[in-house]
Each structure stands twice: as structure tokens, then as C-alpha cells.
Amino acid sequence: MKNPYEVLGVKEGASKEEIKKAYRELVKKYHPDQYRDNPLAQLAEEKMREINEAYDYLMGTGNKTGSSESQRGTWSQQGGTGFYYQVRMHINSGNIGVAENMLNNTSDRSAEWYFLKGLIFLRRGWYDQAVTHIQTAVSMDPSNYEYREALNRLHNTNRVYRTDAYGRGYNQDLDLCTICQCLWCSDCCCECMGGDLISCC
Amino acid sequence: MLFLMPGFKKARKRHPEKCRVMEKELVRLSLLEKEKCSSMDEAAEPFAKLMEEVMAYEPLCTDSRNEKILRWIGYNTGKWIYILDAYNDLAEDVKNNSYNPLIYQFGYQGEDISEFAKKIRQRVEFNLIHALSQIAKGYQLLDIKQNKGLLENIIYMGMLRKTEEILGIRSREGIEKPL
């Protein structure tokens, strides 16, 4: 076990209140919902487990907080037809290629097909296609909570990033450091492309 | 061309595997451009993969966990650079009749280019911010001890600022700042 104080980011001898507060912040950050449909989901789960262990240890409670397990993969148990259930299992366990092959080889183009195709795109990092497909699923079956939820989650991820940026002071005064970073970024963009590597640049 | 750049031979000697991947991706990129690929996801893929390879720098990949995270950060960085660049170059590419994935994906018909850019802005913005959010998620999972301030400054400020600047979004004073 790692140093539980370090894991929670509190000083040794921190009060229970402080520990609780730090714990709540970390749960918000690493909650499985924040990493759903993401290739790093499993790593976030491990991190969450570490945080829970540290918390349990420091609070001296024997009881497991372990919220991460119960949240995991709830949607995959919702079933659907046998075929799509299998596709979902493959997506869940990271066999994206297998799942995609299955979808490509069926003639069905139901809302569920578009939804799962969207999830696969998401895992690949093809966000534009992901949104388009999940949106199609939502408009074909507007009453489906799962589809709408996935779409909301996508937009929410962007909101969380922005909120984090504002929390760090983005949009307050342009300080010197920010200017440096802008320069760094733009410089990097241009130079690593070597000018004419991509003709549209 | 990359192959003529000074230092390329040295780099290839030192990182033959990385060079192989990069050459492969650059070939794929030029094919997609020739085909006039009409999907920003597909068009961005080779450069994203290339950056993924750059980021998976061995000394940093202390274990498979770190490598996975770094690759995801690299992929999304490449994606962000490519799409942001495409948006930034819209007018110039139309003028020079150069390939640009956004022109093909959104069916540019010769209208005023700034109008066209405005029309597709929201969709491009979603993709760019989503890539940044994924970089941030990856970063959160790395146990970074050094240069935290600098890295967070890049991820949450520099890259976001550049994005909004190029998209022409004015600073959002209206949005509530969390305490």
C-alpha cells in the first residue's frame, strides 16, 4: 500500500474533516463516470481503489467504501438482444476491433447499432463520428435513457474540462506564463509539422 | 520533406521503430489528402498516431500503465493540433486550392469563407475541447511530481487559450468561476 497521506494529498496528521474533504475532491475527479467510454477507464478504477483504500485506512473504518466497483459497467447488464450484448461485452473488455467487426458484419441498423458504433468511435478518439452516431441513436429512439445519457456525458466532459480551467484561473488576466504557453503551443504546432508535411497547414 | 531534414538519419538510428511508424503515418496522411478525405476524424488519425508515437518516449514509459496514458495524451494532442490547424487555415486553403478536411466534410460551396467558418465552429469546437479534456484526464492519472504547475498551465490554459483564439471565441466573462 502506498502512503495513504500521499495518495489523498493531505499532510500527515490531518484532521478527519480535512481527510474527508480531500477524499471527496478526489472521488469527483476519478469517479468511474468521469472515465466511462474511455480507454483509460480501467486505470481510473485502479486509482479509485487506491484512494478508497487510503481513505479507509486513515479513517480507521474497516468498512469498504469501494464505490467504484458497483458503478462499473452497469449499462452492459441491460441486455438487449444476445448479439448486442456480446458486442457490449467486447467493448467493455477493450476488444474494440472484435466489437467493430461484429457491427460491420450485421445488416441491422437500429438505434442500438448506431449507439454501440458511437461508443467504439469514442474509444478510438474519433469524437466527431462518435457524436454523430450517438445522436442518430438518440433521434431514432428518443425515449432511450442510455443513449441520451451517453450524449450528455460527452458534453459534460467538455464542461468539466472548462470548469477545471476556470478553476485554475483561466480567463483572469493574461499573465506572463499564459503568454509563454501560447507561444510554446503555437510554436510546437508549426515546427513539428516541418512546414510542408501537411499541405493544409 | 522530413527525410531531408538534418538530423533525421541520426534520429532514425536512435529510434528506428518510431521512425518506421512515423514514415508509415506520413504516407497514410498524404494518401488521405490525395483522396480528399471528408472526415476530420479520419484525416486527423495519422498525425494523431504520429504524436502518440512521439509521446510514448521510452524513458517516460516506466510501465505499461504509463505508456497507455502517454499514448492517449499524445494521440489527443496530435488530433487537437491537426484539427485546430485545419480550422486556422480554412481561408488560405480555399485561396490556394489546397486540401482541408473541413472543406470536404462540411461541403464548402464557395460561399464567404468566414461565414462558413462560423457555421462549422461549434462542431469543431466540440472536437477540440473534447481532445483537450482527454489530455487532462490522462494527465490526472499520471503521478507527476515535477513541473506540475508548468504542465497544468499548458493543458488548462495555453492549449485552451490557443483554441479559443483560433476559433474566435471571445473570453467568456459570463461563465461563473468556481471558487
Side-chain angles (χ1 to χ4, degrees), chain A residues 30 34-35 38-39 124-129 131 158 161-162 168 170-171 181 193 198 200-201, chain B residues 41 45 47 76 79 85 89 93 99 105 123 127 130 134 137 140 152-155 157 161 164:
Chain A
Y30 295 107
Q34 297 288 344
Y35 282 87
N38 187 305
R124 286 243 154 94
W126 287 36
Y127 312 123
D128 194 59
Q129 302 266 17
V131 171
N158 285 14
Y161 168 76
R162 272 218 156 93
R168 283 176 167 80
Y170 182 76
N171 250 350
Q181 297 323 321
M193 315 282 274
I198 297 175
C200 74
C201 297
Chain B
D41 282 328
E45 183 76 4
F47 191 67
N76 281 284
K79 178 145 199 154
D85 219 47
D89 292 346
D93 288 339
Y99 167 78
Q105 174 164 354
R123 185 127 161 221
N127 279 279
H130 206 74
Q134 298 304 307
K137 276 181 196 290
Q140 284 183 350
E152 286 176 25
N153 200 305
I154 294 170
I155 294 171
M157 304 213 192
R161 172 138 347 245
E164 298 198 332

